[in-house]
Amino acid sequence: MAAFVLVHGGGQGGWVWRQVSRLLTARGHEVYAPTLSGFAERRHLDGPNLTFQTFIDDVANVILLENLRDVVLVGHSMGGVVIPRVAEAVPDRIRRVVWTTAVVTKDGQSLIDAVPQSPAIKRAVTLGPNGIAKLDQEALLDANIQDGTPEQREFVRARHRAYPPQALFEPGRLSAFLALGLPTGYVTATRDLTIEPHIAQHFVELLPGCLKAEIEAGHQCMNTRPADLCGILELMAV
């Protein structure tokens, strides 16, 4: 059995992993899906003192305070910028780091730099000069969960919120993480309209020796194909 720590993407929270968490727990795994400061039910913690390091501490502290070891650390979308730096903070606690339809940023590269706007995202998101994203909620759902049922779309619609702009513009780090030599994995969603498969392939190439998997789903695969994703993550944990 493994310990899974699941990190959400932008505008979301630990809630996005609800179905996957329940399935993994039912199979005997230990599962944590923390919500980052400034997001979802922790939006009240947003403010001028919130930094990207806060996101790292949010996750690393769960691992340390719960005394987790052999952790399978999973990041979705924006969470892909967070997870390598969490691994840097607690490398002796990590079994594998898995990007799930997630961004891999090179040194000094922000999320905005790393992911060209897909046609679907261009219809959904307009970025102002201050980094504040103006969202068309329905167009964003069409980009992220176009393969979802009406109930799945409503689950995401009811909970998605704007998120701190520093999450978009924080310079990434990768070389320090790669120097640790930790096992990695990448899950590509073959129907992803947000991080398109050819962009995901580029991210895979940045992770030498990466264990690769595909899921026939859109960007919100944890909501539309939770059982399939659960099975993939269990294989990644071996």
Side-chain angles (χ1 to χ4, degrees):
M1 296 298 102
F4 287 89
V5 175
L6 311 174
V7 181
H8 63 81
Q12 304 190 346
W15 57 264
V16 80
W17 295 104
R18 183 181 299 174
Q19 295 95 332
V20 170
S21 295
R22 288 173 176 173
L23 288 168
L24 288 172
T25 299
R27 297 181 188 186
H29 303 289
E30 192 169 3
V31 185
Y32 296 85
T35 292
L36 304 178
S37 297
F39 293 76
E41 74 274 15
R42 305 186 75 205
R43 290 183 71 201
H44 61 285
L45 299 176
D46 194 6
N49 295 324
L50 181 65
T51 68
F52 201 86
Q53 183 61 44
T54 308
F55 306 153
I56 313 306
D57 294 339
D58 286 334
V59 182
N61 283 337
V62 169
I63 294 171
L64 292 171
L65 294 174
E66 297 293 345
N67 196 26
L68 304 180
R69 298 186 182 276
D70 286 330
V71 170
V72 181
L73 180 62
V74 182
H76 173 245
S77 199
M78 183 214 77
V81 186
V82 176
I83 54 177
R85 291 175 60 175
V86 172
E88 285 181 48
V90 289
D92 58 323
R93 305 288 183 123
I94 305 299
R95 179 186 298 187
R96 186 180 297 275
V97 181
V98 180
W99 283 258
T100 298
T101 68
V103 183
V104 182
T105 50
K106 295 182 285 189
D107 291 353
Q109 186 181 46
S110 71
L111 183 152
I112 290 295
D113 296 330
V115 186
Q117 278 197 322
S118 68
I121 289 296
K122 283 182 179 179
R123 290 190 290 271
V125 181
T126 303
L127 282 177
N130 58 359
I132 302 299
K134 182 179 179 181
L135 302 179
D136 180 322
Q137 186 77 340
E138 290 306 309
L140 188 63
L141 286 169
D142 289 339
N144 286 344
I145 192 168
Q146 84 283 2
D147 57 330
T149 65
E151 293 77 16
Q152 290 165 342
R153 285 172 65 101
E154 182 55 33
F155 177 78
V156 175
R157 177 193 289 109
R159 293 164 177 80
H160 193 281
R161 300 290 184 273
Y163 56 99
Q166 59 265 45
L168 296 174
F169 294 98
E170 173 78 10
R173 286 212 304 263
L174 188 62
S175 59
F177 165 76
L178 294 178
L180 298 172
L182 292 170
T184 59
Y186 196 99
V187 182
T188 298
T190 61
R191 299 176 62 190
D192 199 336
L193 301 181
T194 299
I195 298 179
E196 297 170 292
H198 69 280
I199 299 297
Q201 178 56 38
H202 169 67
F203 292 152
V204 169
E205 292 167 358
L206 297 176
L207 303 170
C210 177
L211 184 61
K212 296 176 286 187
E214 291 187 348
I215 184 168
E216 188 178 351
H219 193 60
Q220 297 291 140
C221 55
M222 69 284 298
N223 302 121
T224 60
R225 302 289 188 275
D228 293 341
L229 182 57
C230 181
I232 289 171
L233 294 179
E234 283 192 299
L235 291 174
M236 291 274 183
V238 174

